[in-house]
């Protein structure tokens, strides 16, 4: 799995973790939010999934990146498509949680104002067809320590990842 943003290309997951730690280390006595979300688009016989990672120093800026996967299957069933998006978000969120846990605890011990929440942004909401999947998709994250956001608060999935899922050129 490779990640990119407007200034960095071909980043590994380790590179992403290092970039997040660096972003926090620049000004660690602040509140941060790390959000992960996935969106997808079906075109013909393929589906393009884009997963965004976004770290926001509340009120002071952000760093983000995206990873894209092209699957040679058209996910036309809405439950199946939303489940696949949520699974990708779940996998990345848990990997980040695991990789960052010790560092976040260290920052918390050293800086009295440091706070960091990890959020999963799911591309579903209370309006429209996806409302019937809220309980099921939010259930992926219960007990993981990862907060779950749905529309209109799930901007990483519904806005950032959405922008990149529309193009099938990976990376």
């Amino acid at each position: 799995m490779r990640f990119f943003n407007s200034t960095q290309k071909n980043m590994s997951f380790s590179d992403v973790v290092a970039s997040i730690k660096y972003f926090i280390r620049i000004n660690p006595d602040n509140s941060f939010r790390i959000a992960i979300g996935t969106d997808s688009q079906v075109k013909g016989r393929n589906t393009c999934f884009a997963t965004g990672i976004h770290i926001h120093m509340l009120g002071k800026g952000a760093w983000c990146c995206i990873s894209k996967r092209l699957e040679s299957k058209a996910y036309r069933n809405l439950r199946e498509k939303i489940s696949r998006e949520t699974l990708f978000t779940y996998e990345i969120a848990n990997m980040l949680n695991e990789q960052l846990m010790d560092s976040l605890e260290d920052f918390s011990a050293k800086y009295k104002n440091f706070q960091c929440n990890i959020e999963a942004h799911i591309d579903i909401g209370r309006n429209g067809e996806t409302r019937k999947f809220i309980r099921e998709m939010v259930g992926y994250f219960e007990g993981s320590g990862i907060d779950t956001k749905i529309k209109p608060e799930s901007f990483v999935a519904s806005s950032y990842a959405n922008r990149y899922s529309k193009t099938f050129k990976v990376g």
Side-chain angles (χ1 to χ4, degrees), residues 56-67:
H56 181 207
M57 185 184 328
L58 301 184
K60 299 183 182 174
W63 180 89
C64 49
C65 64
I66 202 91
S67 178

Side-chain angles (χ1 to χ4, degrees), residues 28-33 108 111-117:
D29 209 15
N30 282 287
S31 294
F32 296 84
R33 172 178 54 198
S108 185
Y111 302 96
K112 69 175 185 169
N113 294 320
F114 176 79
Q115 184 178 359
C116 186
N117 295 324

Side-chain angles (χ1 to χ4, degrees), residues 2-14:
R2 306 309 287 179
F3 294 84
F4 65 94
N5 61 25
S6 61
T7 60
Q8 299 163 288
K9 306 289 182 226
N10 204 27
M11 290 182 283
S12 67
F13 186 73
S14 295

Side-chain angles (χ1 to χ4, degrees), residues 28-146:
D29 209 15
N30 282 287
S31 294
F32 296 84
R33 172 178 54 198
I34 299 172
I36 304 94
T38 304
D39 189 46
S40 64
Q41 302 290 327
V42 175
K43 187 170 185 179
R45 295 181 180 162
N46 300 300
T47 306
C48 180
F49 292 90
T51 301
I53 300 173
H54 182 274
I55 179 167
H56 181 207
M57 185 184 328
L58 301 184
K60 299 183 182 174
W63 180 89
C64 49
C65 64
I66 202 91
S67 178
K68 291 172 68 169
R69 304 175 201 207
L70 183 61
E71 292 191 5
S72 54
K73 178 179 178 178
Y75 288 88
R76 303 228 184 262
N77 177 287
L78 187 58
R79 171 179 260 122
E80 187 179 26
K81 182 180 172 195
I82 295 295
S83 291
R84 195 87 174 125
E85 291 174 6
T86 304
L87 177 63
F88 288 150
T89 298
Y90 178 81
E91 289 172 350
I92 297 295
N94 277 305
M95 288 169 52
L96 273 176
N97 200 19
E98 184 179 295
Q99 294 287 315
L100 291 170
M101 182 84 58
D102 291 340
S103 295
L104 298 179
E105 286 174 0
D106 288 345
F107 284 123
S108 185
K110 291 178 185 175
Y111 302 96
K112 69 175 185 169
N113 294 320
F114 176 79
Q115 184 178 359
C116 186
N117 295 324
I118 298 180
E119 298 176 352
H121 287 199
I122 305 174
D123 195 27
I124 58 177
R126 300 204 187 286
N127 301 321
E129 287 295 307
T130 62
R131 70 182 175 277
K132 57 189 167 192
F133 307 128
I134 292 172
R135 174 173 266 142
E136 179 182 350
M137 298 307 137
V138 169
Y140 273 80
F141 300 93
E142 286 180 0
S144 68
I146 298 170

